[in-house]
Amino acid sequence: METIDELKLILSPEKIKERVEELGVRITEDYKGKDLVVIGILKGAFIFMADLLRHIDLPLEVDFVRLRSYGSSSESSGQISITKDVELSLKDKHVLVVEDIIDTGYTLKYLKEMLRLHETASVRLCCLIDKQERRRVEVEADYVGFEIEKGFLVGYGLDYDEQYRQLSGIYHMSPRYEARGFMPSDR
Ligand code: PRP
């Protein structure tokens, strides 16, 4: 018998959509008249970033970085490696970093320090989920979608062992069920 995971919906697609729109409107107001570059952190941020950008009604540039800390386990080692760097020039630009989740904080702390070398006009952080349970280093996001106390989360870009990123909602995951071919439907 194949082991599969129990997923419990905690943020519905509708709730996420509504919040992402609110964040987009706020960001639009805050960055009016500024040279904005939005940087997404791969892979987790790709869905959030795509939805958020469509609610930012401003000229902007888009870039991505890829930072890895987890491998295929659910524990952060605190060792961050950069596997894809920024490609645009960030000099004198206002940079908004888009992240799916802040967990230990190691990823964003590392990226903030790295961006200091680029002589940006400013750097702000936008995360969909701020999860405090395992915070190891102090990082504060300027725009937060949801504060979630604890649990292992998947969906809407977030993975477990590279699975579940494509789900439209966000779920608490606990490995439990033994069954075959189960996949939650939230569409
Ligand atoms: C996850 C997540 C964040 C980071 C947050 O990425 O997408 O980038 O961990 O964790 P932290 O606050 O403890 O550093 P991961 O390294 O799993 O890669 P992924 O985005 O490709 O899933």
Side-chain angles (χ1 to χ4, degrees):
M1 186 78 88
E2 198 179 334
T3 303
I4 63 156
D5 313 312
E6 183 188 19
L7 303 186
K8 184 170 157 251
L9 184 68
I10 58 158
L11 294 171
S12 67
E14 294 71 30
K15 204 166 173 184
I16 296 170
K17 189 167 179 281
E18 199 178 294
R19 187 66 184 131
V20 171
E21 188 169 345
E22 284 170 9
L23 290 175
V25 168
R26 261 184 62 202
I27 291 166
T28 302
E29 283 165 10
D30 293 353
Y31 283 92
K32 263 189 193 125
K34 295 181 174 167
D35 283 334
L36 176 60
V37 181
V38 183
I39 298 179
I41 305 182
L42 295 170
K43 302 178 195 174
F46 79 109
I47 292 181
F48 174 41
M49 170 115 157
D51 285 347
L52 181 69
L53 287 179
R54 282 174 281 187
H55 293 292
I56 304 178
D57 189 16
L58 294 173
L60 55 82
E61 294 172 273
V62 171
D63 209 340
F64 292 94
V65 292
R66 172 109 172 91
L67 299 168
R68 298 209 75 210
S69 65
Y70 279 43
S72 62
S73 102
S74 59
E75 285 292 321
S76 171
S77 61
Q79 294 296 309
I80 311 292
S81 63
I82 179 155
T83 55
K84 187 213 162 295
D85 208 339
V86 177
E87 293 169 29
L88 296 174
S89 166
L90 304 181
K91 191 168 167 18
D92 301 325
K93 300 280 176 65
H94 292 272
V95 171
L96 180 66
V97 174
V98 174
E99 176 63 302
D100 52 346
I101 185 166
I102 313 181
D103 189 3
T104 63
Y106 288 129
T107 302
L108 279 178
K109 184 169 184 277
Y110 177 93
L111 186 61
K112 258 194 131 174
E113 279 164 16
M114 192 194 106
L115 290 174
R116 275 208 202 125
L117 309 172
H118 286 263
E119 299 176 59
T120 60
S122 70
V123 176
R124 284 187 183 172
L125 307 177
C126 173
C127 74
L128 182 66
I129 294 168
D130 187 354
K131 192 167 73 108
Q132 291 289 338
E133 181 189 21
R134 300 197 295 191
R135 192 64 46 86
R136 297 285 179 271
V137 287
E138 208 173 304
V139 188
E140 249 184 67
D142 303 274
Y143 305 93
V144 175
F146 302 96
E147 291 183 4
I148 306 256
E149 194 45 44
K150 57 183 180 177
F152 193 88
L153 308 178
V154 297
Y156 201 70
L158 292 153
D159 76 308
Y160 172 67
D161 206 7
E162 295 299 333
Q163 294 294 319
Y164 305 123
R165 293 192 197 273
Q166 82 275 28
L167 299 176
S168 307
I170 292 179
Y171 295 78
H172 264 146
M173 193 200 87
S174 45
R176 215 165 79 175
Y177 284 153
E178 286 195 345
R180 246 173 222 290
F182 173 82
M183 194 69 174
S185 169
D186 54 14
R187 294 197 177 86

